[in-house]
Amino acid sequence: MRNNCFWGSVVGDEQIAALVRHYASPPAALGGSSTATALSPQQSDLWRAARSLVSTPVSLATVVFRLHGPVHRTPLAAAVRRLSLRHDLLRTVFENDPVPAAHLSEPPELRVVEAPDTAEEVVRGIARTPFRFGKEPLFRVTLVCHTEDDHLLVLTCHQLVIDGYGQNLLLREFTSLYRAEMRGGPDNLPKIKRSYLETARLLRNPDLEVRRGDEEFWTSRLRDLPVMSLPGDRPGPAGVTLAPTGTVETVLPDPDGAVVAGLRRLRVNLFALFAAGTMAMLHGYTGQTDLWVATVVDNRLTPESQTHVGPLAGPRVVRVGFAADATFGVLARAVQREVWATMERQHMPFYDVLTVATGDGADMRNLGSVGVTVSPPIQLPDWPLGAVEPLDFDPLEGEPSTGSPLALLVEKQAEGYRMRLEFDESRFSHGRARDMVTTIADAVVAAAADPQRSLAAWRVPTSAGG
């Protein structure tokens, strides 16, 4: 899934308190029906971004698999229908109105495209085709037929109805339903005891004492939040830029498990390690010791929430201050403490904090914000017939993401960690971006190998442009 979160700003105490009070009321059901869905806090964040991007593909999440062997279309179509009936969000039609509105529709049908010579071109076209808000659900499954025993299965969702966890859940359930349809037996999937609507209401946090705790937490964390002096080497235009237009990638190999061993020694999680590496890079370039990054925090804290494909993760600020002579280990553990504290306070919609703080049309690229996301790998489904493999290309390559001037996306792979840095080309050259992602990788290795190494003794590279 691509980076599509908005990060960062300076927020005052009164603004935070007002936001918490505003979102204390329970959400209304969308569409006026007891069977309609409702927006979770995370969907509220995404809704505001999605409305200006409905004609573009940048908010789509697409997974593509190549299927080797026979594919039975009738059971496959039935599995698509059963999956949509199981999860209301997969058959929800969202209107493109200022006030969120939605209604349930008939489940989407399996689409079949014959493309013996142009299969991958067709897949790119499918992945880049926006959903028609107000006219169709934000979920589609397309079977692209190359040969009789070679097919491409394309699953596309809008991020209003899916997140990273939901992608893996969707794949597991889809293959289970396909297998059940082929065999004519039960699917053995657990029952969904609580609807997404009910879960969304719970996430609104109706408890007054907890809300007061949230207000105090975010007020203390975001008070006097500094604006970072990002290491840009280009002036940038005068207008607003919310869409990084460049990307650089590197792979951090870990064949011997040194990074995992370092995590055990440090007693931190993977996000904390890469976030600390990002902060070490920023410290090296700017000299600042009060730094912050944004993380997408999972909100699946109950057994019932584990059964939903809907977006239940949202961006939250992790702010860390440290002495200039701190060690990598101290920084990584400080990030971990902030992650744990942040996970306890997930109730306030973050995008609305930004809106109130900066106003509509604010020049966010000068705020000095950085996004960091560490995502699990997409799990291969247990396909009933033949072999299955993920298609190794980005269908949305060339399309900008919305988000911060810098956004680090890390994907855990079998051979190591794939690191993708998205950046605003009006602010950063490719050479500078390449230096930054390399520096983060070096910091992660240093932290894992030598937690006692001082940040003050570590230098970042300097590139001559382009």
Side-chain angles (χ1 to χ4, degrees):
M1 182 175 294
R2 310 188 72 190
N3 177 55
N4 282 281
C5 293
F6 291 86
W7 318 117
S9 182
V10 180
V11 186
D13 296 359
E14 293 183 2
Q15 294 166 325
I16 296 173
L19 283 167
V20 174
R21 287 193 297 271
H22 176 72
Y23 281 94
S25 58
L30 298 177
S33 167
S34 61
T35 59
T37 184
L39 294 186
S40 68
Q42 292 72 32
Q43 283 176 304
S44 297
D45 296 349
L46 290 167
W47 173 262
R48 290 158 178 79
R51 285 202 61 238
S52 62
L53 299 167
V54 293
S55 61
T56 74
V58 298
S59 294
L60 306 187
T62 301
V63 181
V64 184
F65 292 103
R66 170 162 267 130
L67 307 178
H68 302 280
V71 173
H72 297 265
R73 300 184 186 183
T74 299
L76 194 68
V80 172
R81 180 176 179 84
R82 288 175 63 177
L83 187 67
S84 301
L85 289 172
R86 178 174 169 83
H87 297 285
D88 284 352
L89 279 179
L90 299 182
R91 55 189 180 97
T92 297
V93 177
F94 287 82
E95 304 294 340
N96 185 23
D97 296 327
V99 178
H103 64 273
L104 296 180
S105 73
E106 283 296 309
E109 301 289 338
L110 172 70
R111 306 179 184 186
V112 179
V113 179
E114 303 289 344
D117 302 318
T118 58
E120 293 196 5
E121 284 184 33
V122 169
V123 169
R124 291 181 189 276
I126 294 169
R128 297 170 73 95
T129 301
F131 288 101
R132 298 171 299 162
F133 273 60
K135 297 183 179 179
E136 63 180 342
L138 306 185
F139 169 61
R140 60 175 172 246
V141 180
T142 308
L143 183 67
V144 180
C145 306
H146 184 215
T147 68
E148 185 176 345
D149 292 325
D150 186 8
H151 301 77
L152 299 179
L153 184 65
V154 188
L155 294 92
T156 302
C157 283
H158 195 283
Q159 291 190 11
L160 273 170
V161 300
I162 200 75
D163 58 13
Y165 175 93
Q167 280 185 318
N168 282 328
L169 178 65
L170 184 147
L171 290 172
R172 292 198 304 270
E173 292 192 355
F174 182 41
T175 51
S176 178
L177 291 168
Y178 178 42
R179 185 182 300 104
E181 284 292 328
M182 288 180 57
R183 296 176 178 174
D187 55 52
N188 296 321
L189 294 178
K191 290 185 177 180
I192 299 178
K193 298 179 180 179
R194 178 179 290 149
S195 70
Y196 189 88
L197 169 62
E198 293 172 312
T199 301
R201 285 198 175 114
L202 288 176
L203 293 178
R204 290 284 176 168
N205 186 17
D207 185 270
L208 182 61
E209 289 300 317
V210 177
R211 281 203 310 275
R212 187 174 294 116
D214 289 343
E215 179 180 336
E216 293 173 356
F217 173 87
W218 289 110
T219 299
S220 65
R221 286 301 189 276
L222 302 182
R223 181 185 291 118
D224 302 323
L225 193 68
V227 175
M228 284 188 287
S229 301
L230 286 174
D233 54 350
R234 291 179 175 175
V240 177
T241 300
L242 293 178
T245 53
T247 61
V248 291
E249 289 189 5
T250 189
V251 174
L252 173 59
D254 191 29
D256 301 323
V259 171
V260 174
L263 290 173
R264 293 195 184 111
R265 285 196 299 272
L266 288 164
R267 296 183 179 180
V268 300
N269 62 17
L270 198 59
F271 169 80
L273 188 62
F274 278 96
T278 302
M279 289 180 167
M281 180 272 291
L282 292 170
H283 170 63
Y285 275 111
T286 67
Q288 292 177 245
T289 55
D290 188 354
L291 298 170
W292 57 288
V293 301
T295 172
V296 176
V297 175
D298 192 6
N299 216 352
R300 298 175 183 274
L301 304 180
T302 64
E304 293 82 1
S305 64
Q306 302 291 325
T307 62
H308 295 302
V309 300
L312 294 175
R316 295 295 181 265
V317 169
V318 175
R319 181 183 180 186
V320 176
F322 55 94
D325 60 350
T327 65
F328 280 110
V330 167
L331 179 57
R333 283 188 285 269
V335 173
Q336 179 72 85
R337 286 194 298 271
E338 287 297 303
V339 171
W340 285 338
T342 300
M343 288 183 69
E344 294 177 356
R345 307 291 182 184
Q346 303 181 62
H347 305 291
M348 190 166 59
F350 186 71
Y351 181 77
D352 297 278
V353 174
L354 302 182
T355 303
V356 170
T358 65
D360 292 336
D363 190 354
M364 294 181 65
R365 61 188 184 83
N366 290 325
L367 295 176
S369 55
V370 177
V372 180
T373 301
V374 179
S375 63
I378 292 292
Q379 298 177 1
L380 288 178
D382 183 16
W383 201 245
L385 295 174
V388 59
E389 62 175 331
L391 201 62
D392 190 20
F393 74 91
D394 181 3
L396 299 182
E397 187 173 0
E399 291 288 345
S401 297
T402 58
S404 60
L406 285 176
L408 177 69
L409 293 88
V410 181
E411 182 182 358
K412 191 176 186 305
Q413 299 180 328
E415 68 277 10
Y417 303 90
R418 180 189 179 198
M419 301 172 60
R420 174 188 177 102
L421 185 69
E422 297 184 352
F423 63 96
D424 183 343
E425 289 179 296
S426 71
R427 294 288 306 281
F428 308 98
S429 67
H430 278 256
R432 173 58 58 84
R434 205 174 298 114
D435 285 345
M436 288 191 288
V437 74
T438 302
T439 300
I440 296 171
D442 291 345
V444 168
V445 171
D450 184 10
Q452 301 308 312
R453 185 177 180 184
S454 172
L455 290 169
W458 185 63
R459 293 292 179 264
V460 299
T462 56
S463 174

